[in-house]
Amino acid sequence: MFTGPMRNRISRARFNALLAGLATARLAGDAAGPPDEPLSLWYRKPAAQWVEALPVANGRLGAMVFGGIRRERIQFNEHTVWTGEPHEYQHPGAYRSLQTLRELLFQGKQKEAEDLAMTTFMSLPLHQKAYQAFGDLLVESPNIEEKDVTDYRRDLNLATAVASVEYRCNGVRFRREVFASYPAQVVVIRLSASKPGQIALHASLASAHKAVKFAAVSRGQISMAGQVDNGVIRFEARAQVIAAGGKFDVGEDTIRAEAADSVTLILSGATSFKNYQDVSGDPGARNDAILAALRGTSFESMKRAHITDHQRLFRRVTLDLGSTAAAKLETDERIRAFAGGSDPQLVALLFQYGRYLLIGSSRKGGQPANLQGLWNDSNRPPWDSKYTCNINTEMNYWPAEVTNLSECHEPLFDALKELAESGAKTAKEHYNARGWVLHHNFDLWRGTAPINASNHGIWPTGGAWLATHLWEHYLFTGDKQFLRETAYPLLRGSALFFADYLVEDPARGWLISGPSNSPEQGGLVMGPTMDHQIVRSLFGAVIAAGEILGTDAELRTQLARLRQRIAPNQVGRYGQLQEWLEDKDDPKNEHRHVSHLWGVYPGGEITPWGTPDLFAAARKSLEFRGDAATGWSMGWKANLWARFRDGNRVYRILSNLIRPVSGKSQAGGLYPNLFDAHPPFQIDGNFGATAGIAEMLLQSHDAAMLLLPALPDAFQNGRVTGLKARGGFEVDLEWRGGKLRRATLRAGQSMPLEVRYGTKRVSVRAEAGGTYRFDGDLKAR
Ligand code: FUC
């Protein structure tokens, strides 16, 4: 294994000391132990910083629960609180300089091309808008003295999606529960105690924006209404109190309760956003409707409906990697101890956390998950917390299909419909082309033109990459109606753009992409490898979809012809897969982006069976890039090493990712609340890790289903249920001593299938609805 003996010994001692400390604390009776639910994050202290707070969300509203004792802070967001306003970002007449840009690049005049593009070809304005914080719900408990508090514990139960805070004070056990309900569209906070009449509170709202007004609304509600500081979005947050016993009153900006048996606070939030071109909504009316629909609903029934809704998605997949004593440590201690101890269950927790975060940040009817999902406490978030499409937005959705959360993919598809409208204008204005194009970023206003700087902003394949998600959704679900009505028109539009856009390379005669870049290095060029892999995959999807739907025969023939002519993958002088047309890769380049390996993952054109030479070259390129990197880069590398079927290498990457974020280091890691660090926090790394763990256990991209293709030595025994494979299969696997014991496949569609485990193979004629069971030798059971 890779951990040196020295490192192992020292860390193990530390690990044992931590466990001993836990036992002593328990004996002294001053600390609550771990929660019963193993799929929990838990701590014995309130959060001191935002990245220690625990996230809940319903795909539209999100909240971070700090768990303060006397003063609880629930920082909240709503997915459409953004700066800016409906806007067209295209640069009129940009297409007029396209030919010159290409000529300059063909002549090797990169700087001239980049300079010219900065004045003629970029988005107006040059930057897109920013996702914003919304506000805080603050809950003071005036009757609690912190010095009298013992047995404090706060936790987030991933299986119920409820965050709790518990402590003891003067012989009374206090409990707080917080959840964000998708069916009810609100955040619910409940304060209760083990004896009657013990709850007293002052609850108030605080805004992240200057222009706000506070008011008391009838029926026990306070409101906070206003407008974002740099834009037109109007918003309103509402807090409603329901107290059992005692009394309460509602002032302009404060709810006060005293001597209550329990208090439920319902937080609702809405904006004026209707869609990217229409901001005429009435946030107050929306909150009225949301809260009116809940009138008379008890806390218990809201909680039950919430848990049922969450579990319908969450429970589809279980992962058991075995548990060790480390599972008894607080979550932040576990992150610290991971390198030295044995804690496979933390990997399972991280896996499920990614699924939890996707359910929270991407639900039908909402916006797609942005760079922070939807959790954000800043009005100047890193990279504006928007949608970066040269890796980040796609990575957010890598776990969606394989971890059985297909519906969570839908907000992305809804956004693609709008991006195709805006992107058609960009295609016309910037390239005089048909179809639609999206460059490396979009925002709430569906900007699709190249932003920031010409050297990395002019990258036309963002929309094409996202469009391949539509095809993947079809491959996993077999949903023909979706293919016909949603996927095909968008895929086709993207392909039409590239049919017009690809240009002949005068030196080699191939069709190439350009001006473009290999994200985000090397500057503006002609013909980055990644673009060609994506466009080949896009054309392949359109041809296959057109055949299935029996449509567009002529277009299919045309695309097939063009596809043949696209620049092929090339192996360079170091045996590497070339990142560019020219053989100019630097083997010492450890850049975080591994764009030219797209064809290995998430694409599938480079495989050990189909293209063994390219597969070996891609592996060499990944070796050159090294292991340590930003959060999402490690997420990508984990998936790539899984495709290279090197489980121990994936585990090594995961071990680099599962460690505390350290000081000023540029490398990724985990914050105490398991949010992944770019750094700072960026949620793609969480999603990349979840997808990578799934990819170790099951792969289905190359016309066969691979069982346990990249199992590391660290996962000796385990069981996974409910993973999805292309073809609509649901797969359960069990292994012992690192060897497959049992596999169960439930078929979603009728189709022939090859199943592989190591060198063993079996062919199955699957019938929709059929169940197929195998032992470790792939013999039918
Ligand atoms: C791309 C990456 C950065 C960062 C940003 C949001 O530009 O290269 O590392 O993740 O997106």
Side-chain angles (χ1 to χ4, degrees), residues 371 383 388 390-392 440 456 520 591-593 630 632 678 682 684:
L371 285 174
W383 289 283
T388 307
N390 60 17
I391 174 63
N392 319 85
H440 98 298
H456 67 276
E520 299 178 4
H591 197 273
R592 62 194 180 282
H593 284 269
T630 61
W632 63 255
H678 179 289
Q682 207 170 283
D684 38 24

Side-chain angles (χ1 to χ4, degrees), residues 548-570:
I548 294 166
L549 298 172
T551 186
D552 277 340
E554 210 173 299
L555 177 68
R556 273 186 266 144
T557 314
Q558 189 205 351
L559 291 180
R561 248 188 248 126
L562 292 174
R563 193 169 184 270
Q564 288 287 327
R565 294 181 53 207
I566 296 175
N569 290 302
Q570 301 181 78

